[in-house]
């Protein structure tokens, strides 16, 4: 039976996302002619390091992976103790079942790292920076998790599985598993990556906020998730190719991080 979630639930069940709302991925054929872009040694090294991260599957037998998963829970629900790494509690965050590791198959361990980066490093708005000690550093993470911004749909997207979808979409959009970038968008991103090794994680944060912004602007509901993801991808591609964008912080959608 497919489960749905109302906006009144903190993050919602994600059973429906695993079935009807699969990741928006550009299909390609091996014979497709694509240009390739030469990399500087620094860009090539940064790409290889990122590819190593992408290749790591989540493995519950590795202590560091279990600790990262527990850290994600603590960031999401600091006042609620996690009874076990396999628990019905995970559904509160928007995982499909009681074992989140089954949902990481689409995005790997890097999708967990992305969620943790969002929780730990989301910027505090500049206008309240002087009061940083009074602010929750993970406020924006909580806003996304708990759907606290805007006029929400009755049937909401599940936070955690949507996050895994975003990781997977970015890997495909940027063609990060190729030896060299084959699109201008991918080549542009690698310039940013060579200057900031956290560029992929930062772009993930921007993308999550942009996706949620598009969701609200389109008055989307659960059946619209793929449409929202496609719209988000197109907007990102346009912004990455703007002439005056020389770093990720120049992206127009970066401003969403301070709202």
């Amino acid at each position: 039976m497919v489960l749905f979630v109302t906006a009144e639930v903190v993050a919602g069940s994600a059973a429906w996302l695993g079935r009807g709302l699969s990741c928006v991925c550009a299909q390609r054929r091996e014979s497709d002619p694509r240009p390739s872009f030469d990399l500087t040694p620094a860009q090539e090294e940064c790409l290889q390091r990122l590819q190593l991260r992408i290749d790591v599957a989540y493995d519950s037998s590795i202590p560091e992976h279990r600790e990262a998963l527990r850290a994600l829970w603590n960031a999401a629900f600091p006042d609620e103790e996690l009874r076990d790494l396999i628990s019905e509690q995970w559904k509160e965050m928007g995982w499909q079942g009681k074992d989140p590791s089954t949902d990481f198959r689409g995005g790997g361990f890097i999708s967990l790292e992305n969620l943790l980066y969002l929780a730990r490093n989301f910027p505090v708005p500049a206008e309240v920076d002087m009061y940083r000690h009074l602010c929750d550093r993970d406020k924006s993470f909580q806003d996304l998790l708990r759907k606290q911004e805007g006029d929400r749909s009755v049937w909401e997207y599940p936070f955690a599985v949507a996050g895994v979808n975003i990781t997977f979409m970015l890997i495909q959009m940027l063609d990060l598993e190729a030896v060299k970038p084959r699109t201008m968008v991918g080549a542009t991103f690698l310039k940013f990556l060579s200057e900031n090794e956290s560029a992929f994680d930062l772009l993930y944060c921007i993308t999550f906020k942009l996706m949620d912004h598009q969701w609200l602007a389109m008055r989307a509901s659960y059946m619209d998730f793929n449409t929202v993801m496609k719209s988000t991808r197109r907007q990102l591609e346009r912004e990455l190719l703007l002439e005056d964008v020389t770093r990720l912080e120049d992206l127009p959608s970066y401003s969403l991080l301070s709202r």
Side-chain angles (χ1 to χ4, degrees), residues 22-35:
S22 56
C23 182
V24 177
C25 308
Q27 300 297 319
R28 67 171 183 264
R29 301 181 181 88
E30 293 301 322
S31 59
D32 282 351
R34 288 191 182 186

Side-chain angles (χ1 to χ4, degrees), residues 6 21 57 83 121 128 162 164 174 204 221 238 248-249:
T6 70
L21 301 182
R83 291 186 290 273
N121 297 289
V128 297
V164 175
L174 301 172
Y204 173 88
S221 188
R238 285 193 293 267
L248 289 177
E249 289 84 350

